């Protein structure tokens, strides 16, 4: 299990992202660097009902450790039972509560960021989960529902309830993903509590990680969209924040090699039709490659690993002048 207070600083972690941070993606990230991975959120209600698909989403391989499973839900008793089930069946290194998702289909059922409007319910969720499991319980929040200062008092409530770690996304629910993440305000939340805090939002480069830590004085960073199609970012951040030499951006061959390895893991996880759901990752991997626009449509239509191999071979040959970039 993770001891958040004892981990070397700064902590670097992969953020939970719906439909993205599944086992195959986390395995690829861990094959290149060593961040803590937060797996995509799963429904506590579905877990307690014994939904097989939801249970499958919580499964992982040892190479993904240390791993934190995120849950969402609004009923304290259900959240506690879901946490118990996850610990009993899979024994992750930590459990995380989603109190920050701004998406309507989540908040309309009083889940995600909606819990920031109900601190009594939110703290009861943490208390019940802490009583039900041995693993540490962390919480991901936003700066507030409407006002950026709301997280300060909310964070204190969660700390008092027993939360072991907080992640703060530097926007309010009403902002969604518009505007800029307010790292300075995250720092005010950090200063208000004694438990470790991770900064989240707009940390897409090693330089941004350094700036976010400098401004917020947080214990680490949680990387979300900056890691999509870019599993190398974690090693590059580790190097910068430890004062080492930052590895170069991956060359074309390396990007295509990892894309193919990720596709194979994805298909192994979801079956042959998994290549269709993998297409969203292809867009991220090839983003910014000079000359790639001529191949983008065909890449988005691949229907098998063999088809993907054909397209990657064509790209390699056609863009050979970029291989040593």
């Amino acid at each position: 299990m993770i001891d958040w207070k004892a981990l070397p600083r700064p902590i670097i972690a992969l953020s939970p992202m719906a439909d993205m941070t599944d086992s195959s993606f986390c395995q690829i990230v861990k094959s290149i660097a060593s961040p803590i991975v937060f797996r995509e959120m799963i429904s506590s209600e579905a877990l307690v009902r014994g939904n097989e698909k939801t249970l499958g989403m919580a499964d992982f391989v040892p190479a993904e450790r240390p791993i934190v499973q995120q849950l969402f839900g609004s009923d304290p008793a259900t959240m506690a039972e879901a946490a118990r089930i996850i610990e009993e069946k899979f024994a992750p290194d930590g459990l995380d509560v989603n109190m920050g998702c701004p998406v309507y289909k989540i908040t309309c059922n009083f889940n995600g960021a909606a819990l920031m409007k109900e601190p009594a319910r939110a703290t009861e969720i943490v208390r019940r989960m802490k009583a039900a499991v041995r693993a540490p319980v962390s919480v991901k929040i936003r700066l507030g529902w409407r006002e950026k200062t709301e997280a300060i008092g909310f964070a204190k409530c969660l700390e008092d309830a027993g939360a072991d770690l907080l992640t703060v996304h530097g926007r309010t629910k009403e902002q969604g993903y518009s505007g800029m993440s307010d790292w300075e305000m995250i720092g005010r939340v950090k200063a208000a509590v004694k438990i470790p805090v991770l900064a989240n939002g707009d940390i897409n480069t090693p330089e941004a990680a350094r700036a976010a830590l400098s401004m917020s004085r947080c214990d680490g960073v949680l990387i979300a969209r900056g890691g999509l199609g870019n599993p190398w970012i974690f090693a590059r951040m580790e190097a910068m924040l430890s004062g080492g030499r930052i590895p170069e951006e991956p060359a074309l061959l390396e990007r295509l090699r990892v894309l193919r390895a990720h596709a194979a893991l994805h298909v192994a996880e979801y079956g042959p039709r998994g290549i269709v759901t993998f297409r969203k990752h292809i867009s991220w991997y090839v983003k910014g490659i000079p000359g790639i626009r001529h191949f983008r449509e065909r890449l988005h239509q691949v229907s098998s690993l063999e088809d993907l191999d054909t397209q990657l071979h064509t790209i390699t040959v056609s863009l050979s002048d970029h291989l040593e970039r």
Side-chain angles (χ1 to χ4, degrees), residues 236-258:
R236 299 183 79 240
M237 282 185 179
E238 288 170 4
M240 169 170 275
L241 298 176
S242 65
R245 185 182 70 82
I246 304 175
E248 296 292 328
E249 291 278 4
L252 177 62
L253 277 181
E254 171 65 2
R255 290 175 73 166
L256 299 184
R257 181 192 69 80
V258 173

Side-chain angles (χ1 to χ4, degrees), residues 244-282:
R245 185 182 70 82
I246 304 175
E248 296 292 328
E249 291 278 4
L252 177 62
L253 277 181
E254 171 65 2
R255 290 175 73 166
L256 299 184
R257 181 192 69 80
V258 173
L259 186 164
R260 177 58 172 78
H262 187 178
L265 287 170
H266 192 90
V267 169
E269 183 174 358
Y270 298 106
R273 290 294 296 167
I275 195 67
V276 175
T277 56
F278 183 73
R279 291 171 184 167
K280 60 181 179 285
H281 289 286
I282 295 175

Side-chain angles (χ1 to χ4, degrees), residues 79 102 105 133 168:
M79 287 288 282
K105 69 178 182 180
V133 297
V168 184

Side-chain angles (χ1 to χ4, degrees), residues 291-310:
I292 198 64
R293 65 186 181 88
H294 300 292
F295 307 94
R296 196 179 301 276
E297 183 176 351
R298 279 174 283 175
L299 283 170
H300 291 168
Q301 295 175 352
V302 294
S303 57
S304 66
L305 282 176
E306 293 72 23
D307 190 9
L308 178 61
D309 286 339
T310 298

Side-chain angles (χ1 to χ4, degrees), residues 64-77:
E64 295 176 68
R65 291 191 184 274
I67 188 169
V68 181
Q69 178 61 63
Q70 188 180 77
L71 300 172
F72 74 90
S74 59
D75 179 68

Side-chain angles (χ1 to χ4, degrees), residues 174-225:
E174 290 198 342
Q175 283 182 282
Y177 294 100
S178 65
M180 297 297 294
S181 181
D182 192 335
W183 299 333
E184 184 176 1
M185 186 58 70
I186 294 175
R188 290 182 59 183
V189 179
K190 163 64 182 171
V193 296
K194 295 181 175 61
I195 57 176
V197 176
L198 303 182
N200 175 238
D202 296 340
I203 306 174
N204 300 324
T205 65
E207 293 78 12
R210 183 169 61 186
L213 288 170
S214 175
M215 193 172 295
S216 69
R217 304 298 180 188
C218 280
D219 300 278
V221 291
L222 192 72
I223 310 305
R225 287 173 287 180

